[in-house]
Amino acid sequence: MKIKFKIILIDVLFLILSVLLVIFSFFNRDLAVWVLVAYSIVAIFAVVAHREKEQLAKYQEAEQSKFRILKLMNVLNAFVVIWSEDNRTFLINEKLKDAIGEAKEGLSNEETLDLLFPMGFARKNRVDMMVEESKEFSLETRYGSIFVSWTSSVLVSGASGRYIISVGFDVTENKHIRQQLNITNNLLSVSEKHYSLAMNLSEIGII
C-alpha cells in the first residue's frame, strides 16, 4: 500500500510540475523552447522512475503473497509442495524441507520433483498422473526411508500453464501394518488349505 501511495504521489507532483511549466512558458515565450526540452527530459525520467517503481511494487507484492502462502503451508502437519507445470515455481513447507534438506541441496526443481514423485519416463505426464488419483512413493529422508501418500490438485490453470498443490502424509506405519496383515492372511490361507487337505485325507482313511 505504501508503494502504491508513493506512485500516486509522484504522478500528482508530475502533473503539478507540468502545469507550472506550461504557465511559465506563456509568460516567457523566449524560453518556451528550453522549457519544452526541460519538460521532455523530466517526463522521460518520470516515466522510467514510474515503471521501476511499478516493477518494485509488483515484486514486493509477489514476495508478500509467497510469504503468506508459505505461512499457510507450514500450518499443515503434512508435506506440502506447490509446483508449476514448467518447473519454474517450486515451494515446499518447513516440514518437508526439514525431511529432505540435505538430499535437496544442489538439485534443480525438476530433480527435486523426481525425488518426491519418482516416475521415470512418465514424468512428462507428471501433472496428469498426480492429479488423477492419490500416489504412494517411498522417500529417503534424514530420518530414514518412509512411504508418503500424495494427493494433488490443480490450483490455477491458464495460458502460462498449471500450478499444482500436492499434500503428502507419512503412511509408513500403515503400510507396514498392511504388509503384516497380508502375510497373516496368506498364512491363514495356507493353514486352511492344509486343514482341508488333512480332513479329506482323513475321510478316505489315508491318515
Side-chain angles (χ1 to χ4, degrees):
M1 291 297 293
K2 290 182 179 180
I3 296 295
K4 291 182 179 178
F5 175 76
K6 289 180 179 179
I7 292 175
I8 294 173
L9 182 60
I10 290 173
D11 290 339
V12 172
L13 292 175
F14 178 69
L15 180 61
I16 294 173
L17 179 61
S18 300
V19 173
L20 290 175
L21 287 173
V22 172
I23 294 173
F24 179 76
S25 66
F26 276 109
F27 288 99
N28 299 271
R29 295 180 180 276
D30 295 335
L31 297 176
V33 175
W34 296 107
V35 170
L36 182 60
V37 171
Y39 176 81
S40 301
I41 294 173
V42 171
I44 292 172
F45 278 104
V47 169
V48 172
H50 183 75
R51 288 181 178 177
E52 288 182 353
K53 286 191 174 293
E54 277 188 338
Q55 292 296 325
L56 178 61
K58 290 180 181 179
Y59 173 78
Q60 291 184 343
E61 187 175 350
E63 287 297 310
Q64 289 176 357
S65 298
K66 179 180 176 180
F67 174 78
R68 288 193 292 268
I69 291 171
L70 285 172
K71 191 174 181 180
L72 290 173
M73 291 169 64
N74 290 329
V75 171
L76 298 176
N77 185 27
F79 302 129
V80 185
V81 188
I82 294 179
W83 48 287
S84 61
E85 198 167 9
D86 58 7
N87 299 318
R88 292 183 179 180
T89 300
F90 185 79
L91 300 174
I92 62 176
N93 66 342
E94 290 297 327
K95 184 178 179 67
L96 182 55
K97 189 182 295 184
D98 176 66
I100 64 168
E102 296 181 1
K104 184 183 180 299
E105 289 182 2
L107 297 181
S108 64
N109 292 346
E110 186 173 6
E111 289 171 336
T112 305
L113 287 173
D114 288 338
L115 177 68
L116 298 175
F117 317 131
M119 292 184 173
F121 294 107
R123 69 180 183 180
K124 291 184 178 179
N125 301 318
R126 194 197 312 271
V127 174
D128 295 326
M129 295 184 67
M130 291 297 295
V131 173
E132 182 181 11
E133 60 182 0
S134 297
K135 299 292 183 182
E136 192 173 293
F137 300 109
S138 63
L139 178 64
E140 293 297 328
T141 72
R142 57 188 296 186
Y143 307 108
S145 180
I146 63 174
F147 290 94
V148 181
S149 178
W150 294 97
T151 301
S152 303
S153 60
V154 177
L155 283 175
V156 180
S157 181
S160 59
R162 290 176 289 182
Y163 292 80
I164 301 91
I165 181 170
S166 298
V167 180
F169 293 93
D170 185 350
V171 294
T172 307
E173 186 175 351
N174 292 340
K175 189 173 182 66
H176 288 162
I177 291 174
R178 290 200 302 268
Q179 290 175 343
Q180 291 298 323
L181 286 174
N182 289 334
I183 293 173
T184 302
N185 288 334
N186 289 335
L187 291 175
L188 287 174
S189 178
V190 171
S191 297
E192 288 178 357
K193 290 179 180 179
H194 287 171
Y195 176 77
S196 177
L197 177 62
M199 291 296 294
N200 292 334
L201 292 176
S202 176
E203 289 178 357
I204 62 177
I206 296 181
I207 58 174

